[in-house]
Amino acid sequence: EKWAATRAKYPPTTLALQHFDAAYGIQLGHLWPSVRAALLCERKYGALVNNFSDDDVLSDLQDQGCRDFISDTDLEVHLEQISAVGVEGESSDLSTKTSDISHQQLSPLQISRNIKCLVFPRGDITRFKPAKPDKFGLLGYYLMDAASVLPCLALDVQEGHNVLDLCAAPGGKTLTLLQTQCLGFLCVNDSSISRTLRLKRVLHSYTPKPFLSGDNLRITSFDGTKWGEIERDTFDRVLVDVPCTTDRHSLVEDDNNIFSRSRTGERRRLPQLQLELLLAGIEATHPGGEILYSTCTLSQTQNQSVVEQAIHLAQENHSIHLQVVDLKPLTHMFRKTFHFAPNLHLGEMVIPHLAANFGPIYMCKLKRLT
Amino acid sequence: GSDCILQSNHHGVTDLSGKHAAELSLRSLVNMGFTDSQAEQIYETVSKAKGASSAKHALSALSSLFALGLNASTVGKLLEKCPQLYTIKESQFQQRIGNLRRQGLGEGSLQRVVSHYPQILVVPMKKINNVGMFLREKCLFTVQQVTEILRDSPAIIEEDLGELEYKFQYVYFRMGVKQAEMVKSKLFRFTLNEVRSRHCFLERRGLYQTPDKKGQTLIVNPKLNSILTVDQDTFLAQVAKASAEEYDVFQRLMAREWQAEEHQENFEAVS
Ligand SMILES: C[S@@+](CC[C@H](N)C(=O)[O-])C[C@H]1O[C@@H](n2cnc3c(N)ncnc32)[C@H](O)[C@@H]1O
């Protein structure tokens, strides 16, 4: 009787697992059992160092055995990747010539030197302690999936850039972008009012007041799909971190689970919502600017398919021509820390692994040409 | 080195007096078939033991073990492994052996059990009988199966019954394995953690399912036998199809999870 089910026969977490077994078993093939086990086990975190904090959290964390995964890449890898990219450039009509991309890709790590994210080494399951406030009340680090930093690095923000974070709450990626301290103006948006409040609380615990003033930052709660109507052709960089099936979360938490029967409709509509958000993000970018689409699901339907359709529809309906930016150089640089899905035809994806239990994070970068 | 000890022991012989000591001489031990060094060792152990009856018990232990049909070399090893054997009274010895026979252990099995697990003769009969009863009544093993369990996994008699019950229920309910299969895969040789680790690892990889009420699963579960009775490398390569690194991390994560659960249970128990 110890094992008898006292819960509902098919709780949402079970439904999620059944769904993933069916979909990802096919999509990931022999990799699925390994990813599945990792998803069902305790995840790993990264500690995003808060540069605004007065405390020397960096050396404190290093003393505990962590390392900054962003600076922990050797030059050899950089050189290797440049030549590798030159040879293996993809031929799909979605992707583009790669020679100048590799140079472009090295630069974010110049500018993003200010972003530091510490992780415990591969296979180490030590947990981070909660961050402590400094004498001004600012917390020393923010705990998040270390793979969530990658979309921010890939976004490649430069000095003075105007940036839109279209779906920003609870704010992990916003905080990461703020660490660069080089942004011109940052627009932070999330359609959920309660989640936007949470985001504000997060920003206030990590950022000094002056940085949150109206001159630098605007926080809104609009429906992101309408952004094209609000502010077209405006931003240098747009982060479109869409709502998704949040695979890891859906497997452990029955409350508020997207796989609960009552949310079936909402779940089925996700790809459409994601497409509309990405299209809005594309419209909000000015020609020459760049868009980064990201999710925390493994689902091809919510990842590659959405991007493919967005590229197609942007061209058809808005005459916006987009170019896919190769992120191989970036993933290559961080292959020591993360497991990346092999042979994705579009974008890059961190897949969970027991020894490096980060992700899933999918990302695809687009450059707006017209 | 050993020579030196041997010398002093030879001298020690004359220090011992009394009837029993005379009976348990080095010479008599060698005559029983023990090697010189075994004889030395036995002699030394017995002469160090306190109490006038020690030599007498030693002799009865030796004859009882020989009576089981064990040869001197085996008996020597057993005494080394389990010196408590020296302290058992002859009558006790006979009772316990008789009890093991009643549990179904015939000549060959009895020898095998005693030589692998001499402690079985040290443990009170009641304890063995309780385990047997527990296996029959709480776990519904047949008399025949209980005998097999005692023969294959005699160390079971020293286990805590509460933990045994948990292990049985885990395998029966969570893994959906029936008694015959448990016996075949020598389940009781493995600790709960060993069983749980391998099972949970397979389960999280999607390679093992708890059968539903009708005993059905969507996938074919691997046999308990193939999960337990192989070494770790074989288990990983053939059953789990995973790397040693993954399993290593997994086991550490599980240990932490289970520890937290135990804490929780203890906490609930006191509050
Ligand atoms: C994956 S979460 C974003 C996580 C966030 N970027 C971070 O790093 O902390 C997706 C967010 O999209 C928001 N959202 C859902 N529909 C939206 C819409 N139509 N417009 C804008 N935001 C939306 C949700 O409220 C949710 O907070």
Side-chain angles (χ1 to χ4, degrees):
Chain A
E1 58 280 71
K2 200 162 227 152
W3 317 105
T6 47
R7 293 162 285 142
K9 196 173 170 207
Y10 290 115
T13 45
T14 306
L15 293 174
L17 189 56
Q18 287 172 357
H19 182 95
F20 295 159
D21 272 331
Y24 304 153
I26 295 169
Q27 194 186 308
L28 294 174
H30 71 282
L31 288 176
W32 173 234
S34 163
V35 173
R36 186 187 198 271
L39 277 174
L40 291 169
C41 286
E42 188 177 319
R43 69 187 313 171
K44 271 184 98 158
Y45 283 90
L48 175 77
V49 174
N50 184 16
N51 296 324
F52 301 111
S53 162
D54 210 37
D55 295 337
D56 187 8
V57 284
L58 185 66
S59 54
D60 210 43
L61 289 168
Q62 278 166 343
D63 288 347
Q64 290 169 42
C66 318
R67 59 184 177 83
D68 172 25
F69 83 82
I70 299 163
S71 56
D72 190 24
T73 50
D74 34 27
L75 191 67
E76 249 171 84
V77 177
H78 290 226
L79 296 175
E80 219 178 285
Q81 99 201 307
I82 291 170
S83 50
V85 162
V87 206
E88 62 174 49
E90 293 175 33
S91 53
S92 143
D93 50 353
L94 290 177
S95 68
T96 45
K97 39 154 188 63
T98 46
S99 53
D100 53 7
I101 287 165
S102 56
H103 292 290
Q104 211 182 337
Q105 281 307 313
L106 288 175
S107 54
L109 302 171
Q110 308 295 316
I111 200 92
S112 305
R113 254 201 310 251
N114 287 329
I115 301 178
K116 290 179 210 77
C117 182
L118 283 92
V119 292
F120 283 98
R122 188 181 173 83
D124 188 329
I125 60 166
T126 314
R127 292 174 179 144
F128 286 103
K129 296 184 192 72
K132 285 202 217 62
D134 67 3
K135 59 175 184 279
F136 303 109
L138 297 179
L139 295 171
Y141 51 85
Y142 182 80
L143 293 180
M144 62 195 285
D145 188 330
S148 290
V149 173
L150 296 179
C152 302
L153 294 175
L155 192 62
D156 180 24
V157 293
Q158 309 281 333
E159 191 76 42
H161 268 169
N162 291 330
V163 179
L164 168 63
D165 189 352
L166 193 61
C167 310
K173 297 188 188 72
T174 313
L175 263 189
T176 310
L177 292 172
L178 282 171
Q179 296 308 316
T180 60
Q181 295 182 42
C182 77
L183 304 181
F185 194 80
L186 178 61
C187 277
V188 183
N189 180 71
D190 196 285
S191 63
S192 152
I193 309 239
S194 60
R195 286 175 66 92
T196 307
L197 284 174
R198 198 171 137 207
L199 170 114
K200 283 183 182 160
R201 278 199 301 275
V202 169
L203 292 185
H204 280 284
S205 339
Y206 284 88
T207 328
K209 287 240 158 57
F211 282 85
L212 301 176
S213 78
D215 299 341
N216 308 308
L217 188 87
R218 186 181 77 202
I219 303 175
T220 53
S221 280
F222 297 135
D223 175 358
T225 61
K226 303 284 190 311
W227 212 276
E229 297 162 23
I230 310 172
E231 231 169 0
R232 212 179 287 230
D233 306 336
T234 305
F235 295 94
D236 301 290
R237 296 289 185 267
V238 176
L239 179 62
V240 187
D241 187 35
V242 295
C244 65
T245 44
T246 53
D247 295 358
R248 199 183 273 277
H249 182 77
S250 298
L251 286 174
V252 292
E253 190 61 59
D254 279 319
D255 287 345
N256 206 13
N257 192 309
I258 188 89
F259 285 88
S260 65
R261 299 243 187 252
S262 60
R263 295 182 68 187
T264 308
E266 186 189 344
R267 179 165 57 82
R268 296 226 173 100
R269 283 191 298 276
L270 273 177
Q272 182 60 32
L273 173 61
Q274 291 158 344
L275 174 62
E276 288 174 26
L277 284 166
L278 178 51
L279 278 169
I282 290 169
E283 283 187 86
T285 315
H286 65 65
E290 294 177 334
I291 302 103
L292 197 118
Y293 176 79
S294 59
T295 74
C296 52
T297 176
L298 296 162
S299 159
Q300 209 164 356
T301 324
Q302 299 174 65
N303 296 335
Q304 294 98 311
S305 306
V306 168
V307 176
E308 271 165 11
Q309 288 181 68
I311 293 172
H312 177 73
L313 290 177
Q315 177 79 58
E316 291 288 301
N317 299 347
H318 307 281
S319 307
I320 296 175
H321 190 52
L322 295 157
Q323 180 186 59
V324 177
V325 181
D326 188 6
L327 294 176
K328 267 278 169 317
L330 187 92
T331 59
H332 202 80
M333 205 173 284
F334 299 122
R335 65 192 166 158
K336 246 168 82 174
T337 306
F338 304 103
H339 281 240
F340 291 97
N343 314 321
L344 248 55
H345 76 280
L346 189 61
E348 296 291 342
M349 183 161 71
V350 174
I351 54 172
H353 184 275
L354 274 164
N357 208 349
F358 305 108
I361 291 288
Y362 173 81
M363 51 189 177
C364 186
K365 185 170 174 175
L366 302 172
K367 186 179 176 74
R368 192 170 152 175
L369 299 179
T370 57
Chain B
S2 56
D3 273 4
C4 205
I5 294 164
L6 219 97
Q7 277 311 84
S8 67
N9 282 344
H10 275 297
H11 289 302
V13 179
T14 50
D15 295 343
L16 245 128
S17 56
K19 185 169 166 270
H20 301 308
E23 283 172 4
L24 193 83
S25 67
L26 275 172
R27 177 176 298 278
S28 65
L29 286 168
V30 172
N31 286 342
M32 288 177 200
F34 292 108
T35 64
D36 282 352
S37 67
Q38 272 178 333
E40 287 294 338
Q41 190 146 25
I42 294 170
Y43 193 82
E44 200 190 351
T45 311
V46 175
S47 28
K48 269 202 218 130
K50 291 202 185 75
S53 55
S54 61
K56 185 174 140 209
H57 284 162
L59 269 179
S60 74
L62 289 175
S63 55
S64 304
L65 289 171
F66 281 122
L68 279 177
L70 303 171
N71 61 28
S73 141
T74 309
V75 170
K77 279 187 210 127
L78 290 188
L79 289 167
E80 202 177 320
K81 210 156 84 177
C82 182
Q84 299 103 299
L85 287 175
Y86 288 117
T87 63
I88 304 172
K89 290 199 207 91
E90 176 143 27
S91 58
Q92 252 177 345
F93 234 118
Q94 294 317 322
Q95 278 171 3
R96 287 178 185 171
I97 286 169
N99 185 49
L100 290 176
R101 288 209 169 95
R102 274 194 303 281
Q103 294 286 344
L105 294 169
E107 281 322 306
S109 309
L110 195 55
Q111 277 179 24
R112 217 175 92 190
V113 169
V114 171
S115 36
H116 280 104
Y117 194 76
Q119 293 91 320
I120 201 159
L121 292 172
V122 180
V123 171
M125 284 191 319
K126 201 169 152 218
K127 210 165 169 186
I128 299 176
N129 296 346
N130 280 346
V131 172
M133 202 152 70
F134 164 83
L135 290 172
R136 283 191 305 275
E137 291 175 4
K138 283 269 163 90
C139 312
L140 305 180
F141 284 104
T142 65
V143 172
Q144 171 72 34
Q145 285 169 336
V146 172
T147 304
E148 279 181 65
I149 292 171
L150 282 178
R151 188 194 60 205
D152 292 335
S153 337
I156 193 176
I157 57 169
E158 307 225 55
E159 272 193 60
D160 176 76
L161 289 190
E163 276 163 36
L164 266 186
E165 182 166 12
Y166 189 90
K167 193 195 295 183
F168 171 80
Q169 293 197 343
Y170 184 91
V171 176
Y172 189 84
F173 292 108
R174 268 281 263 132
M175 301 183 70
V177 173
K178 297 281 172 278
Q179 286 85 346
E181 183 69 24
M182 294 186 202
V183 174
K184 203 172 124 195
S185 47
K186 304 184 175 35
L187 167 69
F188 295 103
R189 283 192 187 175
F190 305 92
T191 65
L192 173 66
N193 270 355
E194 286 167 326
V195 178
R196 247 193 329 192
S197 285
R198 290 192 179 187
H199 165 249
C200 284
F201 191 55
L202 293 176
E203 184 174 62
R204 294 205 187 178
R205 292 181 70 85
L207 303 174
Y208 202 104
Q209 275 176 5
T210 301
D212 63 13
K213 285 201 192 74
K214 290 181 201 141
Q216 288 169 337
T217 51
L218 294 172
I219 55 169
V220 181
N221 285 335
K223 287 263 172 279
L224 186 64
N225 197 24
S226 73
I227 298 173
L228 290 183
T229 59
V230 292
D231 64 23
Q232 184 169 305
D233 288 345
T234 314
F235 167 71
L236 290 176
Q238 289 177 10
V239 190
K241 300 187 171 61
S243 70
E245 185 193 36
E246 286 174 289
Y247 191 53
D248 170 58
V249 175
F250 178 78
Q251 283 178 297
R252 281 184 281 127
L253 284 171
M254 284 298 107
R256 192 161 72 182
E257 248 180 57
W258 291 330
Q259 211 177 358
E261 268 168 33
E262 260 165 46
H263 254 93
Q264 186 66 26
E265 276 163 24
N266 291 343
F267 180 74
E268 279 163 9
V270 294
S271 60

PDB file of all heavy atoms in Angstrom, chain A residues 111-134:
ATOM      1  N   ILE A 111      32.764  42.073 -25.645  1.00  0.00           N
ATOM      2  CA  ILE A 111      31.879  43.015 -24.974  1.00  0.00           C
ATOM      3  C   ILE A 111      31.243  42.396 -23.743  1.00  0.00           C
ATOM      4  O   ILE A 111      30.952  43.063 -22.766  1.00  0.00           O
ATOM      5  CB  ILE A 111      30.794  43.525 -25.956  1.00  0.00           C
ATOM      6  CG1 ILE A 111      30.201  44.828 -25.443  1.00  0.00           C
ATOM      7  CG2 ILE A 111      29.694  42.532 -26.170  1.00  0.00           C
ATOM      8  CD1 ILE A 111      30.890  46.033 -25.966  1.00  0.00           C
ATOM      9  N   SER A 112      31.025  41.081 -23.793  1.00  0.00           N
ATOM     10  CA  SER A 112      30.309  40.440 -22.697  1.00  0.00           C
ATOM     11  C   SER A 112      31.253  39.937 -21.613  1.00  0.00           C
ATOM     12  O   SER A 112      30.866  39.128 -20.794  1.00  0.00           O
ATOM     13  CB  SER A 112      29.481  39.279 -23.234  1.00  0.00           C
ATOM     14  OG  SER A 112      28.650  39.749 -24.243  1.00  0.00           O
ATOM     15  N   ARG A 113      32.474  40.459 -21.677  1.00  0.00           N
ATOM     16  CA  ARG A 113      33.406  40.077 -20.619  1.00  0.00           C
ATOM     17  C   ARG A 113      32.813  40.360 -19.243  1.00  0.00           C
ATOM     18  O   ARG A 113      33.164  39.734 -18.262  1.00  0.00           O
ATOM     19  CB  ARG A 113      34.709  40.865 -20.768  1.00  0.00           C
ATOM     20  CG  ARG A 113      35.848  40.029 -21.302  1.00  0.00           C
ATOM     21  CD  ARG A 113      37.140  40.683 -20.953  1.00  0.00           C
ATOM     22  NE  ARG A 113      37.114  42.092 -21.346  1.00  0.00           N
ATOM     23  CZ  ARG A 113      37.816  42.581 -22.365  1.00  0.00           C
ATOM     24  NH1 ARG A 113      38.588  41.818 -23.068  1.00  0.00           N
ATOM     25  NH2 ARG A 113      37.755  43.868 -22.674  1.00  0.00           N
ATOM     26  N   ASN A 114      31.919  41.312 -19.196  1.00  0.00           N
ATOM     27  CA  ASN A 114      31.316  41.669 -17.918  1.00  0.00           C
ATOM     28  C   ASN A 114      30.328  40.628 -17.417  1.00  0.00           C
ATOM     29  O   ASN A 114      29.943  40.645 -16.266  1.00  0.00           O
ATOM     30  CB  ASN A 114      30.590  43.017 -18.036  1.00  0.00           C
ATOM     31  CG  ASN A 114      31.564  44.161 -18.117  1.00  0.00           C
ATOM     32  OD1 ASN A 114      32.646  44.083 -17.548  1.00  0.00           O
ATOM     33  ND2 ASN A 114      31.186  45.208 -18.831  1.00  0.00           N
ATOM     34  N   ILE A 115      29.900  39.759 -18.303  1.00  0.00           N
ATOM     35  CA  ILE A 115      28.973  38.719 -17.864  1.00  0.00           C
ATOM     36  C   ILE A 115      29.783  37.556 -17.307  1.00  0.00           C
ATOM     37  O   ILE A 115      30.626  36.997 -18.001  1.00  0.00           O
ATOM     38  CB  ILE A 115      28.087  38.233 -19.030  1.00  0.00           C
ATOM     39  CG1 ILE A 115      27.290  39.411 -19.605  1.00  0.00           C
ATOM     40  CG2 ILE A 115      27.149  37.130 -18.565  1.00  0.00           C
ATOM     41  CD1 ILE A 115      26.430  39.031 -20.795  1.00  0.00           C
ATOM     42  N   LYS A 116      29.521  37.257 -16.059  1.00  0.00           N
ATOM     43  CA  LYS A 116      30.239  36.130 -15.450  1.00  0.00           C
ATOM     44  C   LYS A 116      29.216  35.184 -14.854  1.00  0.00           C
ATOM     45  O   LYS A 116      28.325  35.599 -14.117  1.00  0.00           O
ATOM     46  CB  LYS A 116      31.166  36.629 -14.342  1.00  0.00           C
ATOM     47  CG  LYS A 116      32.355  37.412 -14.855  1.00  0.00           C
ATOM     48  CD  LYS A 116      33.219  37.888 -13.705  1.00  0.00           C
ATOM     49  CE  LYS A 116      33.915  39.187 -14.062  1.00  0.00           C
ATOM     50  NZ  LYS A 116      32.981  40.356 -13.971  1.00  0.00           N
ATOM     51  N   CYS A 117      29.356  33.934 -15.182  1.00  0.00           N
ATOM     52  CA  CYS A 117      28.421  32.947 -14.642  1.00  0.00           C
ATOM     53  C   CYS A 117      29.224  31.762 -14.128  1.00  0.00           C
ATOM     54  O   CYS A 117      29.924  31.099 -14.891  1.00  0.00           O
ATOM     55  CB  CYS A 117      27.427  32.519 -15.712  1.00  0.00           C
ATOM     56  SG  CYS A 117      26.217  31.349 -15.089  1.00  0.00           S
ATOM     57  N   LEU A 118      29.115  31.533 -12.842  1.00  0.00           N
ATOM     58  CA  LEU A 118      29.928  30.477 -12.244  1.00  0.00           C
ATOM     59  C   LEU A 118      29.151  29.177 -12.115  1.00  0.00           C
ATOM     60  O   LEU A 118      27.962  29.172 -11.780  1.00  0.00           O
ATOM     61  CB  LEU A 118      30.461  30.928 -10.889  1.00  0.00           C
ATOM     62  CG  LEU A 118      31.637  31.898 -11.059  1.00  0.00           C
ATOM     63  CD1 LEU A 118      31.156  33.310 -11.090  1.00  0.00           C
ATOM     64  CD2 LEU A 118      32.694  31.660 -10.026  1.00  0.00           C
ATOM     65  N   VAL A 119      29.867  28.094 -12.401  1.00  0.00           N
ATOM     66  CA  VAL A 119      29.256  26.772 -12.276  1.00  0.00           C
ATOM     67  C   VAL A 119      30.222  25.841 -11.550  1.00  0.00           C
ATOM     68  O   VAL A 119      31.431  26.060 -11.585  1.00  0.00           O
ATOM     69  CB  VAL A 119      28.922  26.166 -13.658  1.00  0.00           C
ATOM     70  CG1 VAL A 119      27.807  26.931 -14.343  1.00  0.00           C
ATOM     71  CG2 VAL A 119      30.156  26.082 -14.548  1.00  0.00           C
ATOM     72  N   PHE A 120      29.679  24.837 -10.910  1.00  0.00           N
ATOM     73  CA  PHE A 120      30.532  23.792 -10.352  1.00  0.00           C
ATOM     74  C   PHE A 120      30.952  22.882 -11.498  1.00  0.00           C
ATOM     75  O   PHE A 120      30.224  22.737 -12.477  1.00  0.00           O
ATOM     76  CB  PHE A 120      29.785  23.016  -9.264  1.00  0.00           C
ATOM     77  CG  PHE A 120      29.715  23.766  -7.964  1.00  0.00           C
ATOM     78  CD1 PHE A 120      28.584  24.495  -7.619  1.00  0.00           C
ATOM     79  CD2 PHE A 120      30.796  23.770  -7.093  1.00  0.00           C
ATOM     80  CE1 PHE A 120      28.525  25.207  -6.425  1.00  0.00           C
ATOM     81  CE2 PHE A 120      30.747  24.479  -5.904  1.00  0.00           C
ATOM     82  CZ  PHE A 120      29.612  25.197  -5.562  1.00  0.00           C
ATOM     83  N   PRO A 121      32.140  22.289 -11.385  1.00  0.00           N
ATOM     84  CA  PRO A 121      32.660  21.492 -12.504  1.00  0.00           C
ATOM     85  C   PRO A 121      31.740  20.341 -12.913  1.00  0.00           C
ATOM     86  O   PRO A 121      30.853  19.943 -12.148  1.00  0.00           O
ATOM     87  CB  PRO A 121      33.984  20.933 -11.962  1.00  0.00           C
ATOM     88  CG  PRO A 121      34.333  21.763 -10.791  1.00  0.00           C
ATOM     89  CD  PRO A 121      33.063  22.312 -10.243  1.00  0.00           C
ATOM     90  N   ARG A 122      31.981  19.858 -14.083  1.00  0.00           N
ATOM     91  CA  ARG A 122      31.279  18.707 -14.622  1.00  0.00           C
ATOM     92  C   ARG A 122      31.223  17.578 -13.590  1.00  0.00           C
ATOM     93  O   ARG A 122      32.234  17.228 -12.978  1.00  0.00           O
ATOM     94  CB  ARG A 122      32.059  18.233 -15.848  1.00  0.00           C
ATOM     95  CG  ARG A 122      31.372  17.167 -16.631  1.00  0.00           C
ATOM     96  CD  ARG A 122      32.214  16.737 -17.824  1.00  0.00           C
ATOM     97  NE  ARG A 122      31.569  15.597 -18.442  1.00  0.00           N
ATOM     98  CZ  ARG A 122      30.579  15.696 -19.307  1.00  0.00           C
ATOM     99  NH1 ARG A 122      30.176  16.860 -19.713  1.00  0.00           N
ATOM    100  NH2 ARG A 122      29.996  14.610 -19.796  1.00  0.00           N
ATOM    101  N   GLY A 123      30.028  17.035 -13.385  1.00  0.00           N
ATOM    102  CA  GLY A 123      29.885  15.901 -12.471  1.00  0.00           C
ATOM    103  C   GLY A 123      29.790  16.283 -10.998  1.00  0.00           C
ATOM    104  O   GLY A 123      29.438  15.462 -10.164  1.00  0.00           O
ATOM    105  N   ASP A 124      30.107  17.517 -10.694  1.00  0.00           N
ATOM    106  CA  ASP A 124      30.037  17.990  -9.305  1.00  0.00           C
ATOM    107  C   ASP A 124      28.598  18.403  -9.001  1.00  0.00           C
ATOM    108  O   ASP A 124      28.015  19.196  -9.733  1.00  0.00           O
ATOM    109  CB  ASP A 124      30.986  19.191  -9.158  1.00  0.00           C
ATOM    110  CG  ASP A 124      31.155  19.643  -7.707  1.00  0.00           C
ATOM    111  OD1 ASP A 124      30.182  19.496  -6.923  1.00  0.00           O
ATOM    112  OD2 ASP A 124      32.236  20.142  -7.367  1.00  0.00           O
ATOM    113  N   ILE A 125      28.016  17.836  -7.924  1.00  0.00           N
ATOM    114  CA  ILE A 125      26.600  18.118  -7.670  1.00  0.00           C
ATOM    115  C   ILE A 125      26.394  19.088  -6.504  1.00  0.00           C
ATOM    116  O   ILE A 125      25.294  19.212  -5.966  1.00  0.00           O
ATOM    117  CB  ILE A 125      25.794  16.825  -7.426  1.00  0.00           C
ATOM    118  CG1 ILE A 125      26.336  16.069  -6.204  1.00  0.00           C
ATOM    119  CG2 ILE A 125      25.822  15.921  -8.648  1.00  0.00           C
ATOM    120  CD1 ILE A 125      25.389  14.976  -5.712  1.00  0.00           C
ATOM    121  N   THR A 126      27.442  19.767  -6.124  1.00  0.00           N
ATOM    122  CA  THR A 126      27.323  20.745  -5.033  1.00  0.00           C
ATOM    123  C   THR A 126      26.274  21.804  -5.369  1.00  0.00           C
ATOM    124  O   THR A 126      26.165  22.226  -6.515  1.00  0.00           O
ATOM    125  CB  THR A 126      28.668  21.456  -4.799  1.00  0.00           C
ATOM    126  OG1 THR A 126      29.705  20.477  -4.767  1.00  0.00           O
ATOM    127  CG2 THR A 126      28.666  22.229  -3.492  1.00  0.00           C
ATOM    128  N   ARG A 127      25.513  22.204  -4.362  1.00  0.00           N
ATOM    129  CA  ARG A 127      24.497  23.234  -4.588  1.00  0.00           C
ATOM    130  C   ARG A 127      25.033  24.592  -4.155  1.00  0.00           C
ATOM    131  O   ARG A 127      25.861  24.682  -3.249  1.00  0.00           O
ATOM    132  CB  ARG A 127      23.261  22.950  -3.746  1.00  0.00           C
ATOM    133  CG  ARG A 127      22.507  21.714  -4.189  1.00  0.00           C
ATOM    134  CD  ARG A 127      21.392  21.449  -3.174  1.00  0.00           C
ATOM    135  NE  ARG A 127      20.605  20.292  -3.538  1.00  0.00           N
ATOM    136  CZ  ARG A 127      20.100  19.447  -2.644  1.00  0.00           C
ATOM    137  NH1 ARG A 127      20.309  19.641  -1.357  1.00  0.00           N
ATOM    138  NH2 ARG A 127      19.386  18.414  -3.048  1.00  0.00           N
ATOM    139  N   PHE A 128      24.514  25.632  -4.786  1.00  0.00           N
ATOM    140  CA  PHE A 128      24.868  26.994  -4.371  1.00  0.00           C
ATOM    141  C   PHE A 128      24.067  27.371  -3.130  1.00  0.00           C
ATOM    142  O   PHE A 128      22.921  26.964  -2.973  1.00  0.00           O
ATOM    143  CB  PHE A 128      24.525  27.991  -5.481  1.00  0.00           C
ATOM    144  CG  PHE A 128      25.457  27.946  -6.648  1.00  0.00           C
ATOM    145  CD1 PHE A 128      25.085  27.330  -7.838  1.00  0.00           C
ATOM    146  CD2 PHE A 128      26.712  28.527  -6.560  1.00  0.00           C
ATOM    147  CE1 PHE A 128      25.945  27.293  -8.926  1.00  0.00           C
ATOM    148  CE2 PHE A 128      27.579  28.493  -7.647  1.00  0.00           C
ATOM    149  CZ  PHE A 128      27.196  27.877  -8.827  1.00  0.00           C
ATOM    150  N   LYS A 129      24.689  28.161  -2.303  1.00  0.00           N
ATOM    151  CA  LYS A 129      23.934  28.723  -1.175  1.00  0.00           C
ATOM    152  C   LYS A 129      23.161  29.928  -1.702  1.00  0.00           C
ATOM    153  O   LYS A 129      23.556  30.522  -2.707  1.00  0.00           O
ATOM    154  CB  LYS A 129      24.894  29.194  -0.093  1.00  0.00           C
ATOM    155  CG  LYS A 129      25.698  28.069   0.528  1.00  0.00           C
ATOM    156  CD  LYS A 129      26.571  28.631   1.666  1.00  0.00           C
ATOM    157  CE  LYS A 129      27.597  27.611   2.124  1.00  0.00           C
ATOM    158  NZ  LYS A 129      28.685  27.412   1.134  1.00  0.00           N
ATOM    159  N   PRO A 130      22.082  30.290  -1.027  1.00  0.00           N
ATOM    160  CA  PRO A 130      21.358  31.489  -1.476  1.00  0.00           C
ATOM    161  C   PRO A 130      22.266  32.716  -1.374  1.00  0.00           C
ATOM    162  O   PRO A 130      23.112  32.789  -0.483  1.00  0.00           O
ATOM    163  CB  PRO A 130      20.200  31.604  -0.475  1.00  0.00           C
ATOM    164  CG  PRO A 130      20.122  30.298   0.219  1.00  0.00           C
ATOM    165  CD  PRO A 130      21.462  29.664   0.147  1.00  0.00           C
ATOM    166  N   ALA A 131      22.077  33.643  -2.303  1.00  0.00           N
ATOM    167  CA  ALA A 131      22.920  34.837  -2.322  1.00  0.00           C
ATOM    168  C   ALA A 131      22.590  35.749  -1.130  1.00  0.00           C
ATOM    169  O   ALA A 131      21.462  35.759  -0.651  1.00  0.00           O
ATOM    170  CB  ALA A 131      22.704  35.587  -3.626  1.00  0.00           C
ATOM    171  N   LYS A 132      23.610  36.479  -0.704  1.00  0.00           N
ATOM    172  CA  LYS A 132      23.408  37.392   0.431  1.00  0.00           C
ATOM    173  C   LYS A 132      23.449  38.849  -0.051  1.00  0.00           C
ATOM    174  O   LYS A 132      24.143  39.169  -0.999  1.00  0.00           O
ATOM    175  CB  LYS A 132      24.517  37.176   1.457  1.00  0.00           C
ATOM    176  CG  LYS A 132      24.369  35.904   2.267  1.00  0.00           C
ATOM    177  CD  LYS A 132      25.155  36.058   3.564  1.00  0.00           C
ATOM    178  CE  LYS A 132      25.831  34.810   4.031  1.00  0.00           C
ATOM    179  NZ  LYS A 132      26.832  34.186   3.235  1.00  0.00           N
ATOM    180  N   PRO A 133      22.706  39.710   0.642  1.00  0.00           N
ATOM    181  CA  PRO A 133      22.745  41.122   0.252  1.00  0.00           C
ATOM    182  C   PRO A 133      24.027  41.808   0.728  1.00  0.00           C
ATOM    183  O   PRO A 133      24.568  41.448   1.775  1.00  0.00           O
ATOM    184  CB  PRO A 133      21.528  41.719   0.971  1.00  0.00           C
ATOM    185  CG  PRO A 133      21.173  40.760   2.045  1.00  0.00           C
ATOM    186  CD  PRO A 133      21.766  39.436   1.724  1.00  0.00           C
ATOM    187  N   ASP A 134      24.506  42.750  -0.048  1.00  0.00           N
ATOM    188  CA  ASP A 134      25.664  43.542   0.370  1.00  0.00           C
ATOM    189  C   ASP A 134      25.186  44.690   1.258  1.00  0.00           C
ATOM    190  O   ASP A 134      24.003  44.748   1.631  1.00  0.00           O
ATOM    191  CB  ASP A 134      26.451  44.046  -0.852  1.00  0.00           C
ATOM    192  CG  ASP A 134      25.657  45.072  -1.661  1.00  0.00           C
ATOM    193  OD1 ASP A 134      24.530  45.435  -1.251  1.00  0.00           O
ATOM    194  OD2 ASP A 134      26.164  45.503  -2.708  1.00  0.00           O
TER     195      ASP A 134
END
